[in-house]
Amino acid sequence: MTTTVSNSQMDGAQALVKCLEAQGVEYIFGLSGGSAIPIFDALVTTGTSIQLILVRHEQGAAHMADGYARATGKPGVVLVTSGPGATNTITGIMTAHMDSVPMVVLTGQTITPMIGKDAFQEADVFGLTMPVVKHSYLLKDPNDIPRVVKEAFHIAATGRPGPVLMDLPKDVSSGAFKGDLNPPMNLPGYRPERDININEIKTIADALGRSVRPVILAGHGAMIAGASAAVQQLAETLNAPVTTTLLGKGVIPETHPLSLGMLGMHGTAYANKAVVECDLIMSIGSRFDDRIIGQASKFCRDAVRIHIDVDEAEINKMIHVHHACVGDAKAVVEELLKHVSRQDTDEWLRRIDGYRQKYPLRYGRQGGLKAQQILDELYKMTKGNIVVTTDVGQHQMWAAQFLRTVRPNDFISSGGAGTMGFGFPAAIGAQFGRPNDQVWTIVGDGGFQMTLCELATACVAKLPIKVLVLNNHYLGMVRQWQELFYDDRKSGVDLIGNPDFAKLADSYPGAKGFTLKRSADIRKILQRAMEYNDGPCVINAECEKTENVFPMIPAGRPLEDMLIDRPRTKLEKPTGST
Amino acid sequence: MTIQQSTHTLSVHVANRPGVLARVAQVFSRRGFNIESLVVSPAMDGKFSRMTIGLSGNPDGLEQIIKQVGKLVDVLTCVDHSDDSAVVRELALVKVRVGVEKRTEVLQIVEHFSCKTVDMTETSMIIMATGASEKVDAFVGMIRSFEVVELVRTGKVLMARGDQPT
């Protein structure tokens, strides 16, 4: 039963819910506990339209909010209790922080007089999360709640997005609210927008005008800014090829003739060769991550390097650039479009096409079931019109290679953090945000087991998510490194003890399991999965155990050292970190 | 390999809120910069504070650190004044164990460096030295020939000259 509350008798938690409604929040992903009870109670007493999605583990809540945010562009909201409830979200907060995802995390906290006294389920969440949030608050007064909510959503979603944490002591959430529900923000030090420097744009346009072998590198920043159309127009105007980062997949359709797909450690050979041979590289919203540049000192050494980024601190961080422009990717590219014209790049594009013919993405057909083939078939059946989330490892790279992304916000993956266990809960969040789209999550048998308890969450909401488990009974990417760089000494990678994932799915009410063992059955099983929409389904695909991901650039090596295929000679241990 | 070290003085204008010092300090510690001196006090308007940070480290990373501090939500500005024309001052209190027989000698040094004695007993005195850090260093060097019991320095505070904002 719900009771109506008027402003005069609200408590902090009820004011909080009102403020979340004002921010347009549709879903809260959370799990309750002692110090969060007033807030969970307010979700009932306010009669709010906000839906609470009860998770099975708080890490799942954070990844769901993350997946929701990436799929919709709107901040995801997490609500958990103090102490372990809050610390369980930290992996998810870090994941969102690394990939610039807008998120607001509400954590319960012990009552203010007990803070710092080792109270039951007390943790210094404000301190623990400080390195992985864009900003955070420890509230002391119920009347501050509306201003802090407003600021939190504003900070999370503007500029370079990121997670914002609100730590809410129980006496604050249950204390009487007598304040203003719509006060002004007070953020004197926060200036996410800045005027674009036209001179910088003109300098960049001049450089583009002198280039005959340009490459555009589009990253997540271009996606976040909604710059997809502008980037495509820029590429077409200049007649310049576009490669993307893992998180930039879909900024321009990967079916576009100027698309080179993903670059970097496991990127396409033609993207990497284009980057090696270009005379100009222009990043739009990427941060020149170490998995893209390989060895920083050798990356595009002789090319003109240009960086467009909303975050000034990214300029000259990984590589030194000749020209930079700080600003929103869409605004910068739209301005740049006024100053550029078609370049004579035909010979350059012909050369790249030669690489495309010579070094296509490929895989052997002999042996057992190939993960790549399943993904290849999935792409052909769906034409890319699905939302895909992935976990982290070999399957993630194969998904990036073989599932071409044709729309922005359709490929969701933990890029910077590389968080195993991300894929499935992120898919749940994405499905809530995009109820009319078909959502697939591509996971490995290792990562899926980290968060598969959320099958219950998906079942309760009857979400028709397709979970494709590319099961090789190994922590495959580490096994690949051990094979290539450590004389095939396997250490801690053998996942004996896996459950039968199909049977496991069948044991959840409303979920369905499928087993895929032969390549001849791929289409049939994928089709059945697409037709099952009463709840989540899990396809347990028993894949070739020792398949490797190629191309590969060993960590810390220059892009020139790319391995197209399994090397015949022993390789030195990589100098790069991962 | 020797890493080139250099010293810098940053002035950081921040909102006066809990946690802001921890956030700023974290940017430095994560990149291995050692904060050598730190002064935090309310700015002209009590809603804001001024931090003056003296530090040393590899200058390569400094540009990025300044930008990272600058982008913290509670930070209004972060400016490196190392090469600027700025007035830099600090204050030191030095407690010297000194009896009647050497008091005059100590007072000569105090006078030379335009210091002040702020406490005096039969057996000790506290001297206050102010000025540029180099001057304070020189004074401390001289006074060490006596029995220095305690030494407390504030660390640098700084203000840009003329029309330049700090």
Side-chain angles (χ1 to χ4, degrees), chain A residues 27 29 64 67-69 71-72 387 389 412 423-441 458 461-466 532-533 535-536:
Chain A
Y27 297 103
F29 302 95
M64 285 176 209
Y68 172 87
T72 64
V387 178
T389 75
I412 295 169
F424 177 49
I428 294 176
Q431 184 76 81
F432 275 115
R434 306 257 296 266
N436 299 321
D437 283 303
Q438 194 179 113
V439 177
W440 282 76
T441 181
K462 295 189 166 46
L463 301 179
I465 295 167
K466 326 297 178 199
Y532 183 76
N533 289 312

Side-chain angles (χ1 to χ4, degrees), chain A residues 405-549:
Chain A
T405 309
V406 294
R407 299 176 302 197
N409 307 323
D410 274 4
F411 187 88
I412 295 169
S413 192
S414 169
T419 303
M420 286 175 69
F422 171 83
F424 177 49
I428 294 176
Q431 184 76 81
F432 275 115
R434 306 257 296 266
N436 299 321
D437 283 303
Q438 194 179 113
V439 177
W440 282 76
T441 181
I442 317 298
V443 296
D445 47 315
F448 185 44
Q449 289 184 74
M450 293 186 177
T451 47
L452 58 71
C453 57
E454 304 303 344
L455 271 169
T457 312
C459 284
V460 170
K462 295 189 166 46
L463 301 179
I465 295 167
K466 326 297 178 199
V467 183
L468 174 57
V469 186
L470 297 172
N471 186 352
N472 58 7
H473 298 263
Y474 274 127
L475 295 167
M477 188 59 94
V478 173
R479 188 209 53 73
Q480 173 170 344
W481 279 48
Q482 290 174 347
E483 178 192 324
L484 295 177
F485 308 115
Y486 293 82
D487 298 318
D488 203 19
R489 281 187 300 278
K490 294 183 188 61
S491 178
V493 291
D494 198 348
L495 293 181
I496 48 171
N498 275 353
D500 179 329
F501 293 106
K503 277 189 188 162
L504 185 79
D506 284 333
S507 73
Y508 280 88
K512 185 157 182 59
F514 297 99
T515 303
L516 175 57
K517 288 188 170 171
R518 301 185 311 139
S519 54
D521 295 335
I522 293 175
R523 281 191 165 245
K524 186 177 72 188
I525 301 286
L526 294 182
Q527 189 61 41
R528 280 195 203 156
M530 286 181 208
E531 284 161 6
Y532 183 76
N533 289 312
D534 299 335
C537 67
V538 176
I539 304 166
N540 178 35
E542 293 283 349
C543 297
E544 173 75 48
K545 289 186 74 176
T546 55
E547 186 72 9
N548 290 333
V549 185

Side-chain angles (χ1 to χ4, degrees), chain A residues 196-198 201 330-340:
Chain A
I196 295 164
N197 185 328
I198 298 294
I201 301 258
K330 186 179 177 194
V332 171
V333 174
E334 283 178 350
E335 186 59 39
L336 189 55
L337 273 166
K338 297 177 192 164
H339 303 276
V340 294

